[in-house]
Amino acid sequence: MRQLTGRLGLRTRLIAAFLLVAAISAATTAALTYREARTAVLKQVQDTAVATLRDQVENLGMGSVPPDPEILQSQVMDIARRGKPHTWIVFAEYGTLSISSNGTRVPSTAVTDTLRDQVRGNPHGAFQRVTQNGRPMLVVAMPAVFTHGEIREASGLVFYGVMSLAAEEGTVDAMVGAARDGALPALAVAVVPALLAARGVLRPVRDLRRAARRLGRGELDTRIEVHGTDELADLAHTFNESAVELERSVEELQRAEARARRFAADVSHELRTPLAGMLAVTEVLDEDAELLDPDTAAAVRLVSTETGKLALLVEDLMEISRFDARAAELNLDEVDVAEAVRATLQRRHWTDPAQVSTYLEPGVRARLDPRRFDVVLANLVGNALRHGGAPVRVSARAEHRDDGTRLVTEVADSGPGIAAEVLPHIFDRFFKADAARTRSAGSGLGLAITLENVRLHGGTVRAANGPAGGAVFTVEMPLEAGGDGPPEAADELSGAGE
């Protein structure tokens, strides 16, 4: 199963990353705005409340202590009426005496012992934010003092102003809501620059992908237009340089391959004339070998044998050269397949049923090149006899398939089969399964020529091991050769041998 990053396209990941950065930025901005706005709002309220209560207490003018409860009640009510910026509930405490502006004499639970301790040691007052019954409250404590010149002496009387902060908290919450509500449209708007940024990044990537595909199809003159000076432009420039070097290397390889093919063809052609003379001479020497002494006769027969091998090698090289130069052509004719197989076996004197047996479907007629079909069959049977084992079974039949009727020819031997490491190379040129067989009768080109002839007919050839042992070569060709052309899929070849 592919990972999620493999399923998501680069565009999607770029946009997601862009939006994630935008969301984090919006959330961070909203958090900082909330903190600063809340601090500013509450500070303004606190400063106003502290200054107001201080002014009110200082304007009272301290009388005698302990204070008169009725006078103190009047003072508390007066401070409560003048409270800013919101309505206050004012408490006054002197020892065990507690008076409030709402008429109760019970000390307020909003006034904490911590605040009482702070105001006792601070003649300038103190404040504290508390939560009472789920509501935020501001409590300001201001001591009444006696003033003696520059000396301020606490009188023991403390006024407490209690004010609700619900309105300020509502204002801050509204600001946060506005920031949140504004972030969603901002993220939606951020999609536009995200798309533009992704497009700017992906355009050169797409150009590079298309260029790489064209280069992979063999269009070596493919180049990318370079824009800008960023990393993607450097990548495009590097791709162009690599394409230039690849094109130069391929051209050099093609020229070298053409020279090699031409050399092989020229050498083979030049060798034919002297080889013809040598073959004629060796035939005469073979006829007179019995009249020579044994050592000379053995040498004559060795020369004759090696000259014959050399002649076959030259003919095979000439044939391979024609395939490489794409000069090989089909001379098509309608033949009876069973008769063509029998003619091939008779021409090589493979008529002993103990050596080669046939299973030929009668009445099968095909349009093919008789000479090339003869070469294919002779190479496969000869290879089976030399490197497999008798009896060799040759079968030919017609098979009807969805893509048309195919001629299927099989050559199976009774040998040990083909080793697994040999199978992938069986149709390679000059490949021999046994490295010690460097002097065998085969040139190593027989199966390569077979493959080229079958491809020329638009067919395929496969090599495998039979279920009961032995190698099995299967040739499939259309009954009407020459129309389909050679197949592109070389994967159908699973073969190997000479």
Side-chain angles (χ1 to χ4, degrees):
M1 182 177 180
R2 298 178 64 188
Q3 296 181 349
L4 180 62
T5 55
R7 292 196 298 267
L8 294 178
L10 183 58
R11 175 192 291 271
T12 304
R13 281 181 280 168
L14 284 174
I15 294 176
F18 196 98
L19 293 181
L20 179 61
V21 171
I24 293 175
S25 300
T28 304
T29 302
L32 294 175
T33 301
Y34 168 77
R35 188 183 68 179
E36 295 299 325
R38 185 172 185 273
T39 301
V41 170
L42 294 180
K43 186 175 184 304
Q44 182 180 4
V45 172
Q46 290 165 184
D47 292 346
T48 302
V50 171
T52 301
L53 185 59
R54 179 184 295 112
D55 293 342
Q56 295 293 328
V57 172
E58 290 180 352
N59 291 334
L60 287 178
M62 279 303 299
S64 60
V65 290
D68 180 83
E70 294 183 359
I71 296 175
L72 187 58
Q73 180 70 49
S74 175
Q75 291 174 335
V76 166
M77 296 294 295
D78 186 56
I79 293 174
R81 283 193 300 270
R82 299 179 182 182
K84 292 181 180 181
H86 302 302
T87 303
W88 287 2
I89 298 176
V90 180
F91 297 88
E93 291 184 358
Y94 183 85
T96 58
L97 176 63
S98 178
I99 297 176
S100 68
S101 61
N102 58 4
T104 178
R105 293 181 180 272
V106 179
S108 172
T109 56
V111 180
T112 64
D113 293 337
T114 302
L115 182 61
R116 289 189 177 95
D117 293 339
Q118 288 179 349
V119 77
R120 288 194 190 101
N122 186 2
H124 301 286
F127 67 88
Q128 185 180 38
R129 289 196 298 270
V130 298
T131 301
Q132 189 178 38
N133 299 326
R135 295 185 304 165
M137 310 290 289
L138 174 65
V139 181
V140 180
M142 191 63 61
V145 296
F146 295 108
T147 302
H148 307 285
E150 297 296 330
I151 300 174
R152 298 169 61 87
E153 181 182 356
S155 64
L157 176 62
V158 180
F159 293 90
Y160 297 94
V162 181
M163 180 183 67
S164 174
L165 295 177
E168 284 71 21
E169 289 289 343
T171 300
V172 174
D173 292 341
M175 295 175 63
V176 173
R180 182 185 62 246
D181 295 340
L184 296 178
L187 289 177
V189 173
V191 173
V192 176
L195 289 172
L196 294 176
R199 181 182 179 185
V201 172
L202 293 179
R203 183 187 293 112
V205 174
R206 291 196 192 97
D207 293 342
L208 182 62
R209 180 183 62 188
R210 286 192 291 265
R213 286 179 177 174
R214 291 198 299 270
L215 200 64
R217 291 196 298 264
E219 301 176 24
L220 300 182
D221 58 343
T222 301
R223 302 292 184 269
I224 300 176
E225 188 175 355
V226 180
H227 299 283
T229 57
D230 56 8
E231 289 81 357
L232 292 174
D234 292 341
L235 179 60
H237 184 69
T238 302
F239 176 88
N240 290 339
E241 291 179 343
S242 302
V244 170
E245 292 299 324
L246 179 62
E247 184 177 17
R248 183 182 301 113
S249 299
V250 170
E251 288 176 352
E252 291 178 357
L253 289 174
Q254 289 174 342
R255 286 193 294 269
E257 184 179 7
R259 288 194 299 268
R261 289 174 179 174
R262 187 163 53 252
F263 174 78
D266 292 343
V267 169
S268 301
H269 185 271
E270 293 298 326
L271 286 175
R272 294 183 73 180
T273 300
L275 276 174
M278 293 173 64
L279 287 172
V281 172
T282 55
E283 288 179 3
V284 174
L285 292 176
D286 280 340
E287 293 175 357
D288 297 335
E290 296 179 355
L291 303 177
L292 304 174
D293 62 85
D295 292 338
T296 304
V300 167
R301 291 190 180 95
L302 178 60
V303 170
S304 177
T305 301
E306 294 301 322
T307 303
K309 291 181 180 179
L310 182 58
L312 290 175
L313 176 60
V314 169
E315 289 299 326
D316 287 345
L317 286 173
M318 291 288 292
E319 187 73 5
I320 284 291
S321 298
R322 283 190 287 270
F323 283 118
D324 289 342
R326 290 176 173 79
E329 297 180 351
L330 290 175
N331 296 314
L332 299 177
D333 192 10
E334 186 173 343
V335 299
D336 184 292
V337 175
E339 291 297 328
V341 173
R342 293 190 187 99
T344 296
L345 299 179
Q346 290 173 359
R347 197 173 294 120
R348 274 81 178 176
H349 306 291
W350 295 329
T351 56
D352 185 359
Q355 186 182 33
V356 180
S357 58
T358 59
Y359 303 87
L360 308 175
E361 181 180 340
V364 178
R365 302 189 67 82
R367 184 172 176 78
L368 44 79
D369 187 323
R371 184 186 71 84
R372 296 188 183 280
F373 183 71
D374 174 79
V375 172
V376 169
L377 190 61
N379 282 342
L380 293 179
V381 175
N383 187 76
L385 290 172
R386 283 194 303 271
H387 308 299
V392 174
R393 298 174 299 281
V394 180
S395 65
R397 64 186 183 278
E399 288 189 1
H400 302 282
R401 300 178 182 175
D402 294 338
D403 57 348
T405 304
R406 312 282 287 183
L407 171 62
V408 180
T409 306
E410 290 184 352
V411 177
D413 62 48
S414 302
I418 305 172
E421 64 272 12
V422 173
L423 275 172
H425 308 285
I426 196 81
F427 293 102
D428 293 350
R429 299 177 184 183
F430 299 105
F431 177 80
K432 294 186 179 183
D434 186 359
R437 291 194 297 107
T438 57
R439 300 289 298 171
S440 65
S443 65
L445 292 174
L447 289 182
I449 293 174
T450 297
L451 172 62
E452 297 295 343
N453 277 309
V454 172
R455 281 179 170 176
L456 195 62
H457 282 81
T460 61
V461 57
R462 301 189 304 274
N465 291 313
V472 179
F473 287 83
T474 304
V475 177
E476 295 184 6
M477 296 189 299
L479 288 183
E480 293 288 335
D484 298 337
E488 297 294 335
D491 292 340
E492 296 187 20
L493 304 176
S494 59
E498 289 184 30

